[in-house]
Amino acid sequence: MDIKTVGVVGCGLMGAGIAEVCARSGYDTVVREVTDEVLEKGMERLRRSIGTAVERGKLSSEERDAALGRLRGSTRLEELADRDLVIEAVVESLDTKRELFRTLDAVCPPHTILASNTSSIPIIEMASATQRPDRVLGMHFMNPVPVMRLIEFVQAITTSEETLATARAFGESLGKRVIVAKDRAGFIVNMLLVPYLLEAIRMYENGVASREDIDIGMVLGTNHPMGPLTLLDYVGLDTTYYIANILFEEFRQSQYAPPPLLKQMVTAGFHGRKSGRGFYDYAGGEQPPKV
Ligand code: CAA
């Protein structure tokens, strides 16, 4: 089966990025948000991002206009009824996702593949809420979606090989490299990334080094594009805390246990760049160290 039409549920940071790359890659794309206000905010984010791509010479203004012409926003899930593929990128709440998959299963025709961009919730939880568990899989995009070249696919025990093959062809048509993981908490990337990020927090919490030196150490010492504390602010401390808790619950190993400082910062509302403050106080004019 060929994918021709795509639906994206959620137009937050990830949903907007996913909708952008789909439309840029030639797919007729509908993106759905809960209210007109939230939808407009997401579409504005998308337009800004696609504008940056033009400024950086990644896209001509004609290509931008054609991409925007392939894109439509809606607040109605029913508008996804003619989609070949629907990618869910809503909040990381199991109840919300299960309810959404149940509704999508009722709204979409039998051939539609349903994918989740979850970074942590087992895909079988969503697949089992539908009558098509063979056509449900994980499609975990990386942030920022238009720039990062990876998609991590997650094959639940029910996902068919045919679904995986169709999804792989689609993922590669977005210009991304596809990797496949089994349906286990953390998949590949977060299983490796999250313990590393948590260790950086412990190091800072224990006074081993300044936040700047921890970041500079990994940027200049290992050529990472960002140091771990800067990356935590970028990904979101709330998101990392959420994923760490899921990993700890699943494996009960100390490397996944969220350090007290992370919990305190999340409770205080220091969620990183998006809240104006994380390890660095962006609202107060601070920036991560320049290297
Ligand atoms: N569309 C297309 N290309 C774009 C673009 C857009 N909207 N915006 C920027 N670009 C391009 C730029 O032109 C540039 O390309 P060249 O290298 O060819 O010039 C490239 O993207 C980098 O852009 P910038 O120069 O603006 O930014 P930068 O060099 O400061 O890099 C960054 C920014 C890409 C975020 C980089 O710091 C980075 O890679 N950081 C690490 C990000 C990361 O690890 N993400 C994964 C997080 S984990 C995750 O997402 C999973 C999870 O579940 C938590």
Side-chain angles (χ1 to χ4, degrees):
M1 184 189 119
D2 272 352
I3 306 285
K4 294 198 178 62
T5 56
V6 180
V8 180
V9 186
C11 197
L13 184 67
M14 297 305 283
I18 295 168
E20 179 188 332
V21 296
C22 293
R24 277 170 63 171
S25 304
Y27 292 98
D28 176 315
T29 306
V30 175
V31 57
R32 185 264 187 183
E33 254 303 349
V34 278
T35 64
D36 286 324
E37 200 187 349
V38 187
L39 179 63
E40 185 42 40
K41 211 170 144 201
M43 292 296 260
E44 184 46 40
R45 182 202 301 272
L46 190 157
R47 285 190 287 268
R48 263 201 318 273
S49 169
I50 211 165
T52 307
V54 176
E55 281 163 27
R56 302 293 179 88
K58 304 280 174 196
L59 208 65
S60 69
S61 40
E62 291 76 25
E63 286 167 329
R64 173 200 56 203
D65 294 346
L68 291 174
R70 285 189 283 269
L71 191 71
R72 184 157 51 88
S74 174
T75 53
R76 298 179 62 245
L77 274 177
E78 291 71 22
E79 298 230 9
L80 305 177
D82 64 345
R83 304 287 100 184
D84 299 322
L85 168 69
V86 177
I87 307 168
E88 165 278 310
V90 303
V91 294
E92 289 283 78
S93 148
L94 178 55
D95 289 346
T96 308
K97 287 190 196 283
R98 275 183 70 86
E99 183 54 36
L100 176 63
F101 271 73
R102 210 171 286 128
T103 309
L104 288 172
D105 191 39
V107 164
C108 298
H111 78 274
T112 306
I113 293 177
L114 303 179
S116 173
N117 179 56
T118 183
S119 57
S120 44
I121 298 175
I123 302 304
I124 192 62
E125 297 281 358
M126 288 158 272
S128 60
T130 74
Q131 302 298 314
R132 64 182 86 200
D134 56 318
R135 263 155 296 141
V136 177
L137 82 161
M139 255 190 209
H140 182 210
F141 290 76
M142 303 293 131
N143 177 26
V145 181
V147 176
M148 303 302 281
R149 290 183 50 227
L150 185 80
I151 315 179
E152 188 173 37
F153 281 12
V154 186
Q155 186 173 20
I157 47 170
T158 52
T159 311
S160 71
E161 290 301 326
E162 192 191 342
T163 297
L164 192 63
T166 304
R168 181 187 282 280
F170 167 77
E172 287 170 357
S173 77
L174 301 180
K176 308 284 188 197
R177 185 79 183 252
V178 169
I179 57 174
V180 182
K182 292 244 165 67
D183 193 14
R184 196 184 78 147
F187 315 137
I188 298 169
V189 172
N190 281 332
M191 189 73 183
L192 295 170
L193 180 65
V194 171
Y196 156 71
L197 296 178
L198 299 180
E199 199 52 42
I201 301 174
R202 285 187 205 104
M203 195 177 263
Y204 178 56
E205 190 174 35
N206 294 335
V208 174
S210 68
R211 52 191 184 165
E212 288 83 358
D213 281 359
I214 294 169
D215 276 344
I216 292 169
M218 293 311 287
V219 173
L220 293 185
T222 62
N223 268 356
H224 284 199
M226 288 174 165
L229 301 176
T230 305
L231 183 56
L232 276 154
D233 282 356
Y234 189 78
V235 167
L237 272 61
D238 51 339
T239 306
T240 309
Y241 182 59
Y242 182 85
I243 301 172
N245 276 313
I246 294 213
L247 291 175
F248 185 65
E249 230 168 76
E250 183 84 1
F251 302 108
R252 298 281 161 190
Q253 288 167 2
S254 59
Q255 68 264 38
Y256 308 114
L261 178 61
L262 177 61
K263 186 175 179 187
Q264 285 169 26
M265 290 177 77
V266 172
T267 309
F270 301 166
H271 292 177
R273 269 186 188 275
K274 62 186 168 191
S275 73
R277 181 163 174 186
F279 286 95
Y280 298 94
D281 182 4
Y282 305 90
E286 278 183 357
Q287 284 297 325
K290 295 254 179 302
V291 290

